[in-house]
Amino acid sequence: MLSILMLRRAGVLAAVLLATACSQTPQNTDSRAGVRIERLDKEYDLAPEIKRVAIDNPWGEINIRGRDEREVGLHAVIQHLPPKFANVDFKTHREGDTLHIDVVVDGASASTDHESAGARADIAVYVPTDLALKLSTRDARIFATRRAGAIEASTDSGEIHASSLAQLTLRSKTGQIRAVAIGRDWQGPSEIVTDSGRIVLLVPTFGNVTLAADTGGNLSTGFGLSVHALANGGHEAHARYGAGTSSLRAHSTSGEIVLEQLVLLGDDKTLPEDDD
């Protein structure tokens, strides 16, 4: 079965868990050009009730990696910027079936820029592949690929790179979005939406997919899909593959949309590699 083969390649395990304990290991601090660099490791145990991990980081990147252990691991590279050299903390709480991890800079609001806040924090988070994700940044990259659980990601001007067997809900204002819908079928509509950013979407034409794409800008495809001009100067494209039971929509108000065909080659049905 295609999805089982792909899940094995992604290293997916089958269980869901909740945060019960947390440990952290600060590492040696060094400095560079007046910036104090701190590297910090944390771990969060999970219990069966948790089905999703939500991470909010207005202060830097979010990079998701898979892991076999049923826990969440976090590695942060924190830049304490002069003259404030502000402290960065990681707040956690549980809400229903979701574990929330919020990156907080002391004395700064989410709208404050890094220099004024006095800190930047880029994080790598190690999460079991089957857990759903909700990720948000302000102006930095979100990277979450080769997942089995659903991905919801939002940013203002950062880039989003995401791929999953399950539902994708990806939104930006100006940031580019690269999305790969890996699954043959998924629950709920997948939507990739941006105001003026560029969308590159790989479409699983081997699946049961109804595709709709529209933009006020340019739209191109690499696999012979018909593109139609709109009265407002924009373009749209529609297609149905298989039973058409899984909805896949791409929309940009003014940015370019590029649609490519996702091709799985060979008996192994390996997942496509994404550039890190």
Side-chain angles (χ1 to χ4, degrees), residues 168-237:
L168 296 171
T169 307
L170 314 176
R171 300 180 186 278
S172 80
K173 291 183 178 178
T174 61
Q176 174 174 279
I177 301 175
R178 174 181 169 83
V180 186
I182 303 170
R184 181 186 294 274
D185 298 281
W186 57 82
Q187 296 296 317
S190 286
E191 293 190 337
I192 297 89
V193 177
T194 178
D195 291 343
S196 59
R198 182 174 186 257
I199 295 173
V200 179
L201 173 61
L202 273 67
V203 180
T205 56
F206 54 81
N208 297 308
V209 178
T210 295
L211 171 68
D214 69 278
T215 175
N218 294 324
L219 193 158
S220 61
T221 78
F223 55 103
L225 187 64
S226 297
V227 176
H228 305 282
L230 298 173
N232 63 1
H235 299 83
E236 66 176 4

Side-chain angles (χ1 to χ4, degrees), residues 56-63 103 114 119-123 136-142:
D56 179 40
N57 183 14
W59 310 108
E61 294 185 354
I62 300 174
N63 297 285
V103 184
H114 301 130
R120 177 185 175 97
D122 296 309
I123 61 175
S136 59
T137 67
R138 182 178 55 198
D139 55 14
R141 183 179 78 158
I142 295 173

